[in-house]
Amino acid sequence: MSSQPHVIVVGGGSAGLFAALGLADHARVTLIEAGIDPGSPAPSRYVDEHRYPECDWDYTEADTGVHLVRGKVLGGCSTVNAAAAVRGQPSCFAGWGNAWQWDDVLPTFRAIETDEQFGAAPYHGDAGPVVVTRLAQGPLDIAFLDAAKKRGHADCADHNAPGAFGAGPWPTNRVDGSRWGTLAAVAPLVRGRVDIRASSAVRSLVADGGRVTGVEIDGVAGRETLAADLVILAAGAFGTPEILVRSGLDLAGVGAGLQDHPWISMDVDADADAIMARPVSGGLLRYDGAAAGESVSEIQIFPFSAFIYDPSVAPSRYRMSVGLMEPQSRGSVEVDERNTRIHLKHLRDDVDAERMAAGVRHAGELLEDMATAGVVRLPADPWWQAPDLVAAMRARVESYNHPVGTCAIGSVVDERLRTENLTGLRIADASVMPVIPQANTNLTAMMIGARCAELVLADDFA
Ligand SMILES: Cc1cc2nc3c(=O)[nH]c(=O)nc-3n(C[C@H](O)[C@H](O)[C@H](O)COP(=O)(O)OP(=O)(O)OC[C@H]3O[C@@H](n4cnc5c(N)ncnc54)[C@H](O)[C@@H]3O)c2cc1C
């Protein structure tokens, strides 16, 4: 029997696999993942695994009935996501408290990545497992980036350089075109060192007084209770509050701070061959959309093939997307024994609606410029020219698939990811983000998992 402490990581997603990797040499680690372990990941280029129902938790937004994708598979959402790899501005972390300021998190961001183009820069890494690369641009990306630059946006070669804004290539997690999430990048590093129990769902945490002592799982061998010295809960922004509530653990604030980036799509037509030359977007515009007197309010605009996410549409459908990256609206995840009700509350805040409207108008200008250049065809009556643009957007807004904040630092957990009333437990996934980063959330979730391992080593195993 090993004399090392036993750590159970619940959830083998973006954060959970990094937490397991960081502790593998210092503890006996068991990783429990509800979804399947696909083994060596099959190459996935443009088609997304979230079309496969067995890899999806099948959540629904309570107010709109819209399906919300969450990966139920080893690698979690990083196995089904769009592989965009943006880590946000240093200012994103200002409100996260001690241990999470830019100088604290930058070494971890650097350690997890190999940036193929900018690895030598002081704010990048060149030896981590997660490959970050920039896709070659197709003809429509080039036309889009040209239109953005003609409208005055700066050229931006590296969207992950601190303070970067402008138009340039998307950083992505891809190797030879295939998605490079934690299933591809981290699972091979922990196999044989960590006991990975896939197809095993944690029903509840087991607690004795104020101490978490293990988990109850429904695994391949039936129902089991596993004892642990430490449980790291990394089941994601919806899964983590579900487990806490269904364990009967009374933690104030669970589910209350949900944030997500609202996403608006503007569809036009273009030459299908030009789209399919690079159906995943190779071009991203990020700019400060703040009105006078406001602090920075980041907007993302980027085009791609609509066909990737919706195979029922024609390959000639070209989708301009607008993301509001610093939303003020907050929603909630309400959990009881049987149901989970997710209220995203996108664009309910009037400031959010106005900022998004300005972003949509600007995307419309770029589309008009591209139409004038002859590379896209606008619809006869574009919805984004409606007199009541806010109402039109509220009817169309979708999730950018970046839910965070349901067990936030400063609310449910402290800066070291511990809860106030329970020992033997840390929470480490997108649920702990107290403010949504002005970036796609995957790299930040990975950083949180790796940082959790660092905090455990410093606090518990020193
Ligand atoms: C369709 C889609 C596209 C996206 N595109 C991008 C993108 O391009 N770029 C980007 O940066 N971000 C993207 N994201 C978001 C990003 O992938 C997530 O923010 C990130 O993966 C969250 O990491 P996490 O560790 O918090 O949760 P997850 O990666 O979701 O991991 C949670 C894990 O816990 C498991 N789990 C849950 N409940 C239980 C239980 N009871 N027992 C055992 N295991 C359990 C889940 O199956 C899952 O594997 C996208 C997400 C989706 C869904």
Side-chain angles (χ1 to χ4, degrees):
M1 199 65 184
S2 165
S3 60
Q4 289 184 316
H6 184 209
V7 177
I8 291 180
V9 178
V10 179
S14 299
L17 269 164
F18 264 106
L21 176 65
L23 294 173
D25 284 340
H26 307 274
R28 189 162 61 88
V29 180
T30 304
L31 183 139
I32 316 282
E33 168 54 47
I36 59 163
D37 175 358
S40 304
S44 70
R45 293 179 66 81
Y46 308 129
V47 179
D48 289 271
E49 281 82 353
H50 72 251
R51 291 185 196 160
Y52 298 102
E54 67 272 21
C55 292
D56 181 30
W57 283 92
D58 201 19
Y59 290 106
T60 303
E61 211 282 344
D63 302 311
T64 61
V66 169
H67 175 223
L68 300 173
V69 180
R70 287 286 94 189
K72 184 180 183 182
V73 56
L74 194 64
C77 287
S78 77
T79 301
V80 303
N81 74 9
V86 184
R87 65 186 182 192
Q89 308 284 5
S91 57
C92 290
F93 301 93
W96 286 42
N98 293 327
W100 299 95
Q101 297 304 294
W102 183 241
D103 287 348
D104 302 310
V105 300
L106 179 60
T108 314
F109 273 124
R110 294 185 65 212
I112 67 180
E113 76 169 5
T114 290
D115 188 307
E116 288 194 329
Q117 287 80 33
F118 298 100
Y123 41 84
H124 276 304
D126 59 5
V130 173
V131 173
V132 176
T133 196
R134 286 140 192 94
L135 295 178
Q137 285 147 13
L140 288 166
D141 298 318
I142 292 167
F144 164 69
L145 293 173
D146 281 351
K149 287 173 205 168
K150 282 185 186 142
R151 288 265 171 187
H153 294 289
D155 190 26
C156 179
D158 177 13
H159 274 299
N160 283 332
F165 276 118
W170 263 112
T172 65
N173 298 128
R174 289 188 187 274
V175 171
D176 295 332
S178 293
R179 181 188 294 108
W180 200 252
T182 51
L183 174 62
V186 182
L189 304 179
V190 300
R191 290 189 196 280
R193 301 163 66 203
V194 164
D195 180 11
I196 299 177
R197 300 214 189 173
S199 304
S200 300
V202 168
R203 284 171 54 84
S204 65
L205 305 180
V206 178
D208 182 4
R211 178 166 192 84
V212 171
T213 57
V215 297
E216 186 180 62
I217 68 169
D218 281 331
V220 285
R223 189 157 297 172
E224 261 185 282
T225 298
L226 306 179
D229 299 293
L230 172 67
V231 174
I232 297 175
L233 199 42
F238 302 150
T240 285
E242 284 182 332
I243 291 171
L244 285 170
V245 173
R246 290 178 186 153
S247 301
L249 298 171
D250 189 16
L251 299 177
V254 170
L258 176 63
Q259 274 192 301
D260 184 31
H261 294 131
W263 177 4
I264 294 276
S265 296
M266 301 158 73
D267 284 2
V268 296
D269 277 319
D271 176 64
D273 290 340
I275 293 177
M276 295 313 281
R278 185 55 62 185
V280 172
S281 178
L284 169 66
L285 168 62
R286 293 161 72 220
Y287 69 98
D288 179 4
E294 287 182 343
S295 59
V296 172
S297 174
E298 186 171 322
I299 300 281
Q300 281 189 1
I301 301 180
F302 57 97
F304 66 101
S305 157
F307 174 79
I308 294 178
Y309 276 99
D310 182 357
S312 68
V313 306
S316 61
R317 188 68 58 83
Y318 184 66
R319 179 160 290 170
M320 194 65 78
S321 293
V322 185
L324 181 69
M325 305 312 288
E326 291 174 272
Q328 305 301 305
S329 306
R330 284 192 182 254
S332 61
V333 176
E334 297 165 2
V335 181
D336 61 27
E337 272 308 304
R338 290 161 168 252
N339 299 306
T340 301
R341 284 174 300 280
I342 299 162
H343 302 276
L344 289 173
K345 307 272 187 202
H346 283 147
L347 303 184
R348 298 297 171 89
D349 181 291
D350 288 341
V351 173
D352 285 0
E354 284 308 320
R355 287 173 173 172
M356 185 60 124
V360 166
R361 282 189 205 100
H362 191 46
E365 290 169 345
L366 297 174
L367 283 171
E368 280 166 27
D369 292 350
M370 293 174 75
T372 303
V375 292
V376 301
R377 292 176 296 281
L378 301 183
D381 187 15
W383 69 260
W384 52 92
Q385 291 173 5
D388 190 347
L389 179 55
V390 169
M393 289 187 318
R394 283 183 171 146
R396 285 175 172 78
V397 64
E398 294 175 73
S399 170
Y400 201 167
N401 296 308
H402 297 158
V404 307
T406 51
C407 295
I409 293 170
S411 168
V412 176
V413 292
D414 66 14
E415 291 159 352
R416 311 209 54 100
L417 306 180
R418 298 174 296 213
T419 62
E420 191 180 359
N421 300 324
L422 292 164
T423 57
L425 177 68
R426 304 237 185 179
I427 301 178
D429 56 26
S431 73
V432 305
M433 299 184 198
V435 180
I436 194 166
Q438 56 217 74
N440 310 60
T441 43
N442 192 32
L443 286 184
T444 305
M446 292 176 178
M447 179 277 289
I448 288 169
R451 188 99 185 98
C452 177
E454 293 166 7
L455 297 175
V456 169
L457 291 179
D459 296 343
D460 299 351
F461 298 172

